[in-house]
Amino acid sequence: MPDADNRLDPLPEVHGVDHVSLLVSDARQARDFYAEVLGLAELPRPDLGFPGAWLSLGGGQALHLLELPNPDEVDGRPEHGGRDRHVALRVEATAPFAGRLAAKGLAFTRSRSGRDALFFRDPDGNAVELVGTKGSA
C-alpha cells in the first residue's frame, strides 16, 4: 500500500524461477520424453489428486508436468517454437541435444537470431528452447 507521499513501498527482491509447469496428456509419457531427451531426473512429488511428475532442472529449479485438460489448441501452432509460448532452458551447448533430437527423429529448429539456441516440441506440443551458454551452434 502506498505511504503518505504516494510512493510505493519497496518490494522484496525476486530471486529466480522455482518451477515451470506444463500441461500434458500423459504424465508418464511426458516424464519419459524429458528424461530421454534432456536427461532430467524425477523428483519426489506429493499426491495432488491428479497424475503428474516433477523433474529437476538443477539449481533448485524444477519442471512440473501436470496431467490435466489443456484449454489451449495444440494444432496450428507455429513450427518454430520461438514464435509461441515456450520454456527456455540454459545448456552448455545445443549441439549434443541437436544430435539426440535428430537421432530420435524429433524435429527442431535453430534460433533465427544466430544464437546457439534450438527449439523443439514435446509430445503435447509444448515448445522448449535450449540456449547454449558456451561456444556456437
Side-chain angles (χ1 to χ4, degrees):
M1 184 156 245
D3 63 16
D5 296 328
N6 272 341
R7 291 177 296 188
L8 295 177
D9 292 335
L11 293 174
E13 182 180 339
V14 174
H15 294 282
V17 174
D18 182 78
H19 68 273
V20 174
S21 295
L22 297 176
L23 297 178
V24 299
S25 60
D26 183 325
R28 278 197 181 110
Q29 177 188 27
R31 178 200 62 206
D32 292 348
F33 176 85
Y34 283 99
E36 290 173 16
V37 172
L38 299 179
L40 302 184
E42 191 165 9
L43 296 168
R45 177 183 180 265
D47 181 1
L48 300 173
F50 60 89
W54 289 0
L55 304 172
S56 175
L57 295 171
Q61 299 169 339
L63 175 63
H64 291 184
L65 303 173
L66 311 176
E67 189 176 317
L68 294 168
N70 189 343
D72 298 326
E73 288 290 326
V74 175
D75 296 329
R77 292 184 177 177
E79 178 186 359
H80 181 63
R83 294 182 162 210
D84 195 4
R85 292 182 303 269
H86 61 276
V87 175
L89 305 174
R90 286 189 188 133
V91 297
E92 189 168 313
T94 62
F97 295 97
R100 183 176 284 181
L101 289 163
K104 293 182 170 295
L106 299 171
F108 65 91
T109 57
R110 287 279 181 192
S111 174
R112 297 191 175 153
S113 71
R115 302 175 294 128
D116 181 18
L118 64 81
F119 296 83
F120 64 94
R121 293 193 182 272
D122 72 9
D124 291 284
N126 294 304
V128 177
E129 177 182 7
L130 300 181
V131 181
T133 60
K134 296 182 180 180
S136 61

